[in-house]
Amino acid sequence: MSGVGDESRPSLAVPTRGVARIATLAALFDDHALCDRPRGDTRAVLAWGRKPSAARAERLARAQGLPLWWVEDAFLRSIDAGSAAPPLGVVVDDEGIYYDAAVPSRLERLVADPALDEAARARAESLQAAWVQGRVSKYNAARELAAPCAGPWVLAVDQTAGDASIGFGRAGPTDFVQMLEAALDEHPGLPVLLKLHPEVVQGRKRGHFGAGLTPGQAARVTVVAADAHAPSLLEPAAAVYAVTSQVGFEGLLWGKPVRCFGMPFYAGWGLTQDAQAPPQRRHPVPLWRLVHAALAGYARYVDPETGRRCEPERLIEWLALQRRMRERFAPEVVAVGFSRWKKPIVRAYFGGSQVRFLRGGRTLAAGQTVALWGRRPLPPLAGPPAAVVRLEDGFLRSVGLGAELARPLSWVMDDLGIHYDAGAPSRLEQLLAEAEFDDALRSRARALRERIVALGVTKYNVGSGDWQRLPDARRVLLVPGQVETDASIAYGATDLRSNIGLLQAVRRAHPDACVVYKPHPDVVARLRRRGRGEEVAARHCDAVVVDVPMHRLLSQVDEVHVLTSLAGFEALLRGLRVVTYGLPFYAGWGLTEDHALCARRHRRRTLDELVAAALILYPTYLSRASGAFTTPERAVEELAQWQASGASPGLPAWRRLRRMLLSVTRRN
């Protein structure tokens, strides 16, 4: 790299190719321009820890008379490990590196910083609480492990042989033997869990217990040979035994007694019981000082959604969301009947679970979690499934139509039914019928609703035209058309089941109103067939509006009449009167005037409670920026940015060809 970023900033030399290729490096050092060799404004040379590759950077720094900054993964790094997931946090040290106990480090200086005050203490305690509540760790891809034995237990932590933190932490292979023996001797009444390193479990590296356990050890030691998320082992633990593993630091965060057999960065401060004498540089301190130094002062972080620097609180919040979402479903999910283009999307929405796609007609084993699209029937089953999860587009979906294969920012994942099937309960209906919404959630829903309206965001965000009601127009009623073969009509409509029937009913009931009909965008694009008789829609209304964004049209009308269209929900968000002739998910809660009734829906709900259920609690959102789970608030901002970028109209050639072929086959 010759240079990255604004040349007005001082530069950092990154002479090692592997370090220079880290995708997040420029964002993590956004206050500097990165270059591959020193120049006149170079402030320092970056070296990655104590790896052999850092020697080149050290030689270059000496030759140029420049400071050397050591960089390493932060204690809060990412979801996955390795090059597939570049670090979202790094530590930066201009004195040494935290795991080298032989020399001072900037981390040690930060721990002892006399300027730390009560505000720093409060922040550190808040960070510790957020860490525990969010159940985060350095890496966050592993699943929570079901208890391998009755707790409480003593947790002993193995590491990979040759790990740099072991040698530089004044330890060696014999310390692991002593660690396990001490855990057994000092807790004779408790089982001991020996956690193997994930790379040892995967067979990529060796650990320190390759020869196995002695018969006496095996009677009390349970080897955790699965890639288990650390909090699931720490929470029930009575004590943690480590050599230099970061799990010991995380044990302190969880409030556990920690025994150390090396000299990791968190030892020697009077917080752990240490087998070795600490360096004279380290003196007893309260835990909050170590937490503040390690998580706030020593590290830099990048927000995976904005690509900009952020504070540790934001990254903990984001990783905690990933943890919650990745634990929702079984470790393995069998998906049936998905097209090739949907398969990677299914995998993304089931992040945290392994998805296996099954060809149609094959029999499923009993006890499996099955994923289906919409109301697709279950395949043959050898026995009852553990769960059936039905997927559908969310209510804030994309810029572009689903029929054009625009990638969705939200899907709903319902393990009870599906929201548009009024004949059976769904998770959304259950939320609206049973859930209690506190003030914080209602306030969040109100802010989300107001932001949606302000940005003009809808489900598909298509259309470029405009329509203005006449200044002296009568009361204006909007009738949105639907795809008549759509599942929401098949499962949610009652007596009226056609667009022309709805339009005629509205005209009969309101002969003096100005009735506006908007055909469905898929029909306009000829991706779906028109409804029966829809070609004469203009005879029963005052205007047919085609290429107008829904949010603009809603700003010009007084009320909306629907079969089951989501436009009714979007109208509610904007404070309009809504009349339903079928049973969409938002009908029956006292917010709409309904021509059909559902006996299961009898609870009165406020608009913000409906929004909380339908837009916050029910759907799953994926960020376009990070590809990971996100919040509805962030999804709304990304939809607005997507729309403003103008990226949608330029369809790839294969999608233009698909649209052309569909439009030919759909013509009446």
Side-chain angles (χ1 to χ4, degrees):
M1 101 184 68
S2 59
V4 177
D6 183 357
E7 298 301 317
S8 66
R9 295 171 294 167
S11 65
L12 292 175
V14 190
T16 308
R17 288 183 180 178
V19 179
R21 285 197 294 264
I22 295 173
T24 51
L25 196 68
L28 288 163
F29 289 94
D30 62 348
D31 50 349
H32 294 81
L34 305 183
C35 54
D36 55 9
R37 61 182 65 88
R39 59 193 195 196
D41 64 347
T42 296
R43 186 178 176 189
V45 178
L46 294 188
W48 194 269
R50 292 286 192 252
K51 286 189 174 182
S53 61
R56 179 185 174 193
E58 294 176 19
R59 290 194 301 268
L60 181 63
R62 284 196 302 269
Q64 296 291 325
L66 289 169
L68 187 67
W69 288 2
W70 287 271
V71 182
E72 264 283 2
D73 288 334
F75 310 121
L76 183 71
R77 184 194 186 274
S78 55
I79 299 175
D80 291 299
S83 58
L88 301 173
V90 295
V91 300
V92 185
D93 201 316
D94 54 357
E95 298 182 31
I97 193 65
Y98 69 90
Y99 54 76
D100 188 348
V103 297
S105 70
R106 183 169 175 265
L107 176 61
E108 292 177 344
R109 180 160 48 86
L110 289 168
V111 172
D113 186 357
L116 293 179
D117 55 13
E118 284 301 309
R121 176 175 183 163
R123 185 183 186 193
E125 290 174 348
S126 177
L127 282 168
Q128 181 182 356
W131 183 290
V132 171
Q133 184 178 3
R135 305 184 72 82
V136 299
S137 184
K138 181 176 184 177
Y139 303 110
N140 294 275
R143 293 184 68 92
E144 301 271 346
L145 183 72
C149 62
W153 53 63
V154 175
L155 177 63
V157 187
D158 190 19
Q159 294 172 249
T160 59
D163 182 78
S165 75
I166 299 172
F168 286 106
R170 304 195 324 204
T174 59
D175 291 293
F176 287 87
V177 177
Q178 294 174 14
M179 172 192 71
L180 184 59
E181 285 299 324
L184 290 164
D185 292 344
E186 295 167 9
H187 300 273
L190 292 177
V192 174
L193 263 60
L194 177 60
K195 182 185 185 300
L196 302 185
H197 192 278
E199 290 185 288
V200 174
V201 174
Q202 297 162 8
R204 293 162 54 189
K205 293 187 178 180
R206 293 181 300 106
H208 293 88
F209 296 93
L213 304 175
T214 67
Q217 292 172 336
R220 286 182 53 204
V221 175
T222 299
V223 177
V224 180
D227 188 6
H229 193 49
S232 62
L233 303 177
L234 287 168
E235 185 175 21
V240 178
Y241 281 63
V243 177
T244 61
S245 169
Q246 182 181 310
V247 176
F249 173 60
E250 296 186 23
L252 292 176
L253 294 175
W254 278 86
K256 306 297 179 178
V258 177
R259 183 99 149 83
C260 289
F261 290 79
M263 191 49 56
F265 71 92
Y266 53 87
W269 303 103
L271 302 169
T272 55
Q273 184 182 356
D274 301 326
Q276 300 186 26
Q280 292 185 352
R281 305 180 306 273
R282 300 185 188 180
H283 304 283
V285 296
L287 178 60
W288 69 264
R289 279 185 163 270
L290 177 65
V291 172
H292 190 279
L295 298 184
Y298 194 45
R300 293 170 171 237
Y301 304 96
V302 63
D303 187 323
E305 293 182 339
T306 66
R308 296 190 292 269
R309 286 267 298 278
C310 69
E311 297 298 323
E313 290 86 350
R314 164 58 185 152
L315 188 54
I316 289 175
E317 175 188 51
W318 185 83
L319 287 170
L321 173 65
Q322 308 312 308
R323 291 297 319 158
R324 292 194 301 274
M325 301 302 283
R326 292 170 70 89
E327 292 287 337
R328 294 173 301 161
F329 301 108
E332 182 179 271
V333 175
V334 179
V336 181
F338 289 90
S339 61
R340 180 177 297 178
W341 89 273
K342 274 186 180 175
K343 287 182 178 180
I345 307 175
V346 173
R347 288 192 178 96
Y349 276 92
F350 278 103
S353 301
Q354 291 293 323
V355 180
R356 180 165 58 89
F357 291 94
L358 189 74
R359 293 180 180 177
R362 295 194 178 181
T363 300
L364 279 175
Q368 294 184 306
T369 296
V370 184
L372 301 167
W373 185 258
R375 291 298 307 175
R376 185 185 179 97
L378 276 166
L381 298 170
V388 177
V389 183
R390 297 190 178 275
L391 312 180
E392 257 292 354
D393 285 334
F395 310 130
L396 298 168
R397 186 193 186 278
S398 56
V399 176
L401 304 174
E404 290 183 330
L405 310 187
R407 192 176 178 93
L409 265 69
S410 71
W411 273 358
V412 300
M413 308 175 76
D414 197 319
D415 62 349
L416 182 60
I418 196 67
H419 62 88
Y420 57 72
D421 184 355
S426 68
R427 284 295 172 199
L428 177 54
E429 185 177 278
Q430 185 183 64
L431 284 168
L432 290 166
E434 300 176 8
E436 298 298 332
F437 301 98
D438 59 23
D439 290 341
L441 184 55
R442 285 194 294 267
S443 295
R444 182 184 174 191
R446 180 172 63 254
L448 176 63
R449 170 172 57 84
E450 291 171 351
R451 187 62 175 159
I452 288 170
V453 174
L455 292 174
V457 169
T458 57
K459 181 176 182 178
Y460 292 121
N461 304 285
V462 294
S464 58
D466 201 1
W467 181 82
Q468 295 288 331
R469 65 188 289 167
L470 296 174
D472 58 347
R474 309 179 298 280
R475 188 165 49 112
V476 179
L477 280 53
L478 173 64
V479 178
Q482 294 178 244
V483 177
E484 290 185 3
T485 57
D486 190 72
S488 72
I489 291 182
Y491 293 97
T494 54
D495 296 334
L496 277 177
R497 308 183 70 85
S498 69
N499 293 320
I500 197 67
L502 172 64
L503 192 55
Q504 290 170 338
V506 172
R507 172 53 79 202
R508 285 194 302 269
H510 305 279
D512 298 325
C514 176
V515 177
V516 177
Y517 179 66
K518 186 180 191 304
H520 192 278
D522 281 351
V523 173
V524 173
R526 296 193 173 184
L527 300 173
R528 296 287 187 267
R529 293 188 185 279
R530 286 189 299 188
R532 294 187 61 182
E534 196 173 348
E535 68 277 4
V536 298
R539 300 178 189 174
H540 305 282
C541 62
D542 297 277
V544 176
V545 178
V546 179
D547 188 32
V548 178
M550 180 58 75
H551 74 280
R552 291 184 191 168
L553 194 52
L554 290 174
S555 70
Q556 299 296 318
V557 305
D558 300 300
E559 56 191 75
V560 177
H561 292 243
V562 299
L563 290 173
T564 60
S565 171
L566 186 66
F569 177 63
E570 294 172 343
L572 286 176
L573 299 182
R574 291 156 174 83
L576 296 177
R577 177 173 178 257
V578 175
V579 182
T580 67
Y581 295 74
L583 285 169
F585 70 86
Y586 51 86
W589 309 107
L591 298 169
T592 53
E593 181 181 317
D594 303 322
H595 285 250
L597 300 177
C598 177
R600 296 186 310 274
R601 303 179 189 177
H602 49 78
R603 189 166 183 176
R604 302 298 90 181
R605 286 298 191 183
T606 67
L607 178 57
D608 290 328
E609 288 171 338
L610 174 65
V611 171
L615 296 184
I616 297 176
L617 301 179
Y618 187 53
T620 297
Y621 297 89
L622 286 183
S623 166
R624 291 184 78 221
S626 70
F629 298 110
T630 191
T631 62
E633 291 85 355
R634 178 64 194 171
V636 167
E637 299 301 323
E638 290 194 7
L639 280 171
Q641 293 166 11
W642 186 0
Q643 189 173 34
S645 72
S648 176
L651 297 177
W654 70 270
R655 280 173 60 185
R656 290 197 301 270
L657 177 61
R658 182 178 186 275
R659 174 186 274 211
M660 181 184 70
L661 293 173
L662 279 172
S663 67
V664 169
T665 59
R666 301 298 187 199
R667 282 186 186 132
N668 289 336

